[in-house]
Amino acid sequence: MARDKIALIGSGQIGGTLAHLVGLKELGDVVMFDIAEGVPQGKALDLAQSSPVDGFDCKLTGANSYEAIEGARVVIVTAGVPRKPGMSRDDLLSINLKVMEQVGAGIKKYAPDAFVICITNPLDAMVWALQKASGLPHRKVVGMAGVLDSARFRYFLADEFNVSVEDVTAFVLGGHGDTMVPLVKYSTVAGIPLPDLVKMGWTSQSRLDEIVDRTRNGGAEIVNLLKTGSAFYAPAASAIAMAESYLKDKKRVVPVAAYLNGEYGVKDMYVGVPVVIGDKGVERIVEIELAGKDREAFDKSVAAVQGLVEACKKIAPELLGH
Ligand SMILES: NC(=O)c1ccc[n+]([C@@H]2O[C@H](COP(=O)([O-])OP(=O)(O)OC[C@H]3O[C@@H](n4cnc5c(N)ncnc54)[C@H](O)[C@@H]3O)[C@@H](O)[C@H]2O)c1
Ligand SMILES: O=C(O)C[C@H](O)C(=O)O
């Protein structure tokens, strides 16, 4: 059986880590694409030379032309620029929007049957633009953010409780920005919801509030430490989990930026909600009943994403014609 082809558009920090993980997990062959000449070729060769040491079989190639992604089963997009300390993800909108238009055209031409995972920020608006520019079905184009934000929440909680990360579940919904919504009620340790753990004296409400806050600022915390870029190991691992669920039809239930057409009362927008990912792409949108403060926070987050989508429409009205 021929191996699946996985195309990585953008061969920077996340792109390189993605390629490494695809190799180590033997998920398929990798084509790394970038506009920077030599970078995808160099990274692909370096990674290929690690394969005899780690014992994985994976063909890794680099390219500066979209033809190379032809026939890809999965395309993961990290092309664009990351933020620097002091910037918000939203400050990247106009520069990365242009990139999404180019990338969308490349995918439309050479990989129209692919499952596409967008990572480029500001995430929810960029995946919206990428879907418009590529014209691929909505269920085949998703954004990676919720898996990452939930992983951060899970890690902080596991650390607080001194338990295995494996036993902590969490859901962070909404847009991937300052307004994201960590759902305390639906986050658990071995099935025990966080509010019960507060009652049981495992932690205090104020400590839990601090962890929620740290989760919301998880990206900025790393940007401020690195100073020259943003997180890449956990973002890459998160996108690989999504790609794996598609490639192996695992039907994992994960929070992703998915296209909503009435679900959660949202129309024609991508926002972070739980979905089932299988070999048809997004196979189901899981509609959790949100009430009280959670609903308020979710609506606020949706409004923030809506503002960014409106900005995209103004800058690139041609997207609406696709
Ligand atoms: N969704 C998330 O949770 C999440 C997490 C981390 C980072 N990000 C975002 O992912 C993006 C990439 O991050 P990174 O750390 O890999 O950045 P990076 O700068 O290391 O890599 C980006 C790559 O994109 C390439 N590029 C730029 N314009 C291009 C174009 N038109 N076509 C093809 N390639 C192009 C650059 O040459 C560079 O190699 C950023 O926008 C960042 O904010 C999102
Ligand atoms: O914070 C960033 O700019 C990158 C990414 O969105 C993250 O959450 O790590």
Side-chain angles (χ1 to χ4, degrees):
M1 196 173 74
R3 288 198 285 257
D4 287 320
K5 179 164 169 179
I6 298 169
L8 308 176
I9 313 289
S11 303
Q13 297 284 56
I14 306 177
T17 312
L18 287 168
H20 201 188
L21 289 173
V22 171
L24 290 171
K25 287 174 166 268
E26 292 194 330
L27 290 180
D29 290 336
V30 176
V31 175
M32 302 183 75
F33 172 93
D34 205 287
I35 46 165
E37 282 178 26
V39 171
Q41 292 85 350
K43 287 199 179 184
L45 183 58
D46 185 14
L47 285 164
Q49 290 167 358
S50 78
S51 65
V53 183
D54 279 320
F56 62 83
D57 288 301
C58 165
K59 191 163 178 250
L60 290 124
T61 49
N64 303 110
S65 135
Y66 275 104
E67 277 168 8
I69 73 165
E70 185 151 28
R73 197 155 166 233
V74 170
V75 177
I76 308 181
V77 179
T78 60
V81 293
R83 63 173 158 160
K84 297 198 169 65
M87 290 172 80
S88 114
R89 297 177 182 93
D90 302 353
D91 297 334
L92 306 171
L93 186 131
S94 55
I95 179 159
N96 285 346
L97 179 59
K98 288 194 187 75
V99 176
M100 291 306 100
E101 290 195 87
Q102 293 165 17
V103 175
I107 293 173
K108 182 180 190 160
K109 185 157 182 200
Y110 293 107
D113 297 321
F115 180 58
V116 178
I117 302 172
C118 178
I119 302 186
T120 304
N121 271 321
L123 189 270
D124 309 87
M126 292 303 102
V127 65
W128 177 89
L130 186 64
Q131 189 282 325
K132 293 274 181 232
S134 67
L136 266 60
H138 294 115
R139 68 185 159 78
K140 299 290 283 294
V141 183
V142 295
M144 188 294 292
V147 176
L148 170 67
D149 298 325
S150 304
R152 286 180 174 146
F153 197 23
R154 290 172 66 193
Y155 169 71
F156 296 145
L157 290 167
D159 197 38
E160 170 74 3
F161 298 136
N162 195 22
V163 298
S164 166
V165 288
E166 285 185 55
D167 294 321
V168 182
T169 63
F171 267 129
V172 178
L173 307 188
H176 180 59
D178 302 340
T179 59
M180 71 178 73
V181 189
L183 283 185
V184 167
K185 189 171 129 191
Y186 288 108
S187 303
T188 75
V189 174
I192 309 164
L194 295 182
D196 290 11
L197 290 164
V198 172
K199 281 189 209 145
M200 287 157 62
W202 276 42
T203 189
S204 63
Q205 187 58 49
S206 61
R207 185 71 196 117
L208 186 54
D209 292 344
E210 278 170 21
I211 293 172
V212 165
D213 231 47
R214 190 173 178 198
T215 301
R216 281 209 192 95
N217 295 315
E221 183 176 358
I222 291 180
V223 168
N224 289 333
L225 288 166
L226 294 180
K227 295 182 185 69
T228 53
S230 51
F232 51 100
Y233 294 115
S238 304
I240 290 294
M242 293 164 63
E244 202 169 3
S245 191
Y246 172 78
L247 289 167
K248 298 184 179 169
D249 193 25
K250 282 170 75 81
K251 305 204 192 292
R252 293 209 47 199
V253 184
V254 281
V256 310
Y259 183 78
L260 300 182
N261 192 20
E263 299 90 349
Y264 286 89
V266 178
K267 258 197 169 295
D268 191 30
M269 262 169 66
Y270 275 85
V271 184
V273 295
V275 304
V276 177
I277 297 183
D279 69 356
K280 292 176 190 62
V282 172
E283 298 188 350
R284 178 190 284 193
I285 301 219
V286 183
E287 267 196 275
I288 305 176
E289 199 175 290
L290 294 175
K293 283 206 169 102
D294 288 339
R295 181 78 233 185
E296 254 172 56
F298 184 80
D299 289 347
K300 191 173 160 206
S301 194
V302 168
V305 175
Q306 177 86 59
L308 296 177
V309 170
E310 292 309 320
C312 289
K313 290 179 188 170
K314 277 209 188 93
I315 299 169
E318 65 279 6
L319 280 175
L320 295 171
H322 283 268

